[in-house]
């Protein structure tokens, strides 16, 4: 009896192993037959990089433009727009999304969480005021943002049901290895608070993207060691000209941060 059970176990194990070996690998994206569409906010439109246009602040040096230039897809449509929130994606971008899209990339959610006013408020306010702003943003991130993301991802799925959708996260903005961040830099307490808020934001985006069946690509690893205040930052600090570049990736951030994160997801 024991030998028969042992043989049965071997047969089951062998069958399971054959199923695993026979399971097809996920197909790589073939640019030659790919209709690629970029959706989302300023982190997709390329704010912070050179060559931004007036309308939506799109730059060819953003990660979508760089991927398209390097891979020559069958078609490339950039619908991303600086300042976009989830409702803008649903009402102003998805209506122009082709149902034939094969690949879609998107960053969204930061503006819904009050990214700009929170960071700028921390720049000019006290440590205590900054912590209060981050706490308010976290309430929005964990409270209302999941539903907004779900509605946005569902709208994308309805419009382009056959597309591979890559949702990219946001980088951790600040390096905290040093207590000092220069004359105009933020205090260590502010930087840590904003970084913790970014972690929460990414966790929520990842959870909702995976729940929608989309691919989530985390950019935190690519930006690690290259935050604002580091020796080789991939992000702009506070900028005066042009002001919209403040706290957005620079061209290195798009080239060595976001672009590899997109490529790895494909």
């Amino acid at each position: 009896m024991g030998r028969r059970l042992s043989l049965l176990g071997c047969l089951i194990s062998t069958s399971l192993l054959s199923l695993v070996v026979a399971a097809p690998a996920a197909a790589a994206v073939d640019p030659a037959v790919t209709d690629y569409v970029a959706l989302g906010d300023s982190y997709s439109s390329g704010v912070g990089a050179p060559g931004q246009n007036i309308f939506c602040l799109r730059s060819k040096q953003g990660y979508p433009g760089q991927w398209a230039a390097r891979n020559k897809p069958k078609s490339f449509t950039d619908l991303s727009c600086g300042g976009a929130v989830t409702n803008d994606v649903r009402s102003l971008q998805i209506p122009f999304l082709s149902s034939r899209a094969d690949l879609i990339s998107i960053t969204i959610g930061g503006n819904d969480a009050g990214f700009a006013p929170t960071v700028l408020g921390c720049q000019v306010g006290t440590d205590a005021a900054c912590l209060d702003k981050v706490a308010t943003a976290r309430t929005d991130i964990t409270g209302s943002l999941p539903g907004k993301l779900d509605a946005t991802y569902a709208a994308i799925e309805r419009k382009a049901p056959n597309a591979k959708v890559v949702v990219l996260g946001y980088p951790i903005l600040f390096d905290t290895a040093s207590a000092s961040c220069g004359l105009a830099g933020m205090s260590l307490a502010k930087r840590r608070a904003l970084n913790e808020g970014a972690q929460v934001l990414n966790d929520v985006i990842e959870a909702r993207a995976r729940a929608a069946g989309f691919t989530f690509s985390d950019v935190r690893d690519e930006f690690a060691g290259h935050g604002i205040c580091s020796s080789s930052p991939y992000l702009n600090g506070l900028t005066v000209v042009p002001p919209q570049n403040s706290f957005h990736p620079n061209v290195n951030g798009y080239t060595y941060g976001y672009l590899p994160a997109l490529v790895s997801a494909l």
Side-chain angles (χ1 to χ4, degrees):
M1 181 68 174
R3 184 170 179 271
R4 292 169 68 182
L5 287 174
S6 178
L7 287 171
L8 180 60
C10 287
L11 287 170
I12 293 173
S13 298
T14 302
S15 299
L16 290 174
L17 180 60
S18 65
L19 287 173
V20 172
V21 172
V29 170
D30 180 0
V33 295
T34 295
D35 292 308
Y36 171 39
V37 181
L39 302 175
D41 55 24
S42 54
Y43 275 64
S44 287
S45 71
V47 172
Q52 299 165 45
N53 64 17
I54 295 175
F55 180 69
C56 279
L57 304 174
R58 296 185 188 123
S59 169
K60 293 180 180 178
Q61 295 302 311
Y63 75 84
Q66 289 199 43
W67 188 88
R70 296 182 185 201
N71 292 276
K72 305 295 190 297
K74 179 182 176 183
S75 71
F76 169 51
T77 306
D78 193 349
L79 299 174
S80 62
C81 197
V85 296
T86 49
N87 186 60
D88 295 324
V89 172
R90 294 194 301 274
S91 61
L92 300 175
Q93 297 181 22
I94 292 177
F96 300 97
L97 171 64
S98 171
S99 60
R100 297 187 301 274
D102 303 297
L103 172 63
I104 297 169
S105 66
I106 183 171
T107 57
I108 199 66
N111 291 319
D112 292 85
F115 168 77
T118 299
V119 179
L120 292 175
C122 284
Q123 179 71 46
V124 300
T126 63
D127 285 3
C130 176
L131 267 60
D132 285 343
K133 284 187 172 294
V134 173
T136 299
R138 289 183 64 158
T139 299
D140 291 337
I141 291 168
T142 57
S144 60
L145 183 59
K148 294 177 180 178
L149 292 173
D150 287 347
T152 303
Y153 297 155
I156 294 172
E157 173 71 20
R158 286 193 299 272
K159 191 65 184 288
N162 298 317
K164 178 180 179 63
V165 182
V166 179
V167 178
L168 296 103
Y170 295 96
I172 301 304
L173 290 178
F174 298 96
D175 182 83
T176 56
S178 173
S180 174
C181 192
L183 187 62
M186 294 195 201
S187 68
L188 185 59
K190 292 178 181 179
R191 283 179 278 148
R192 284 176 172 167
L194 287 165
N195 286 353
E196 289 168 2
Q199 297 279 14
V200 174
L201 175 61
N202 277 298
D203 290 345
V204 168
I205 293 172
E206 178 177 8
R208 302 328 305 157
R210 295 194 187 282
F214 294 166
T215 299
F216 177 77
S217 188
D218 197 335
V219 303
R220 286 174 283 189
D221 286 346
E222 284 82 1
F223 279 83
H226 298 283
I228 299 166
C229 306
S230 70
S231 58
S232 57
Y234 283 178
L235 296 127
N236 297 296
L238 183 66
T239 60
V240 178
V241 181
Q244 72 268 12
N245 284 359
S246 298
F247 309 110
H248 283 81
N250 54 33
V251 68
N252 284 338
Y254 290 114
T255 303
Y256 303 116
Y258 269 99
L259 183 59
L262 176 60
V263 170
S264 70
L266 303 182

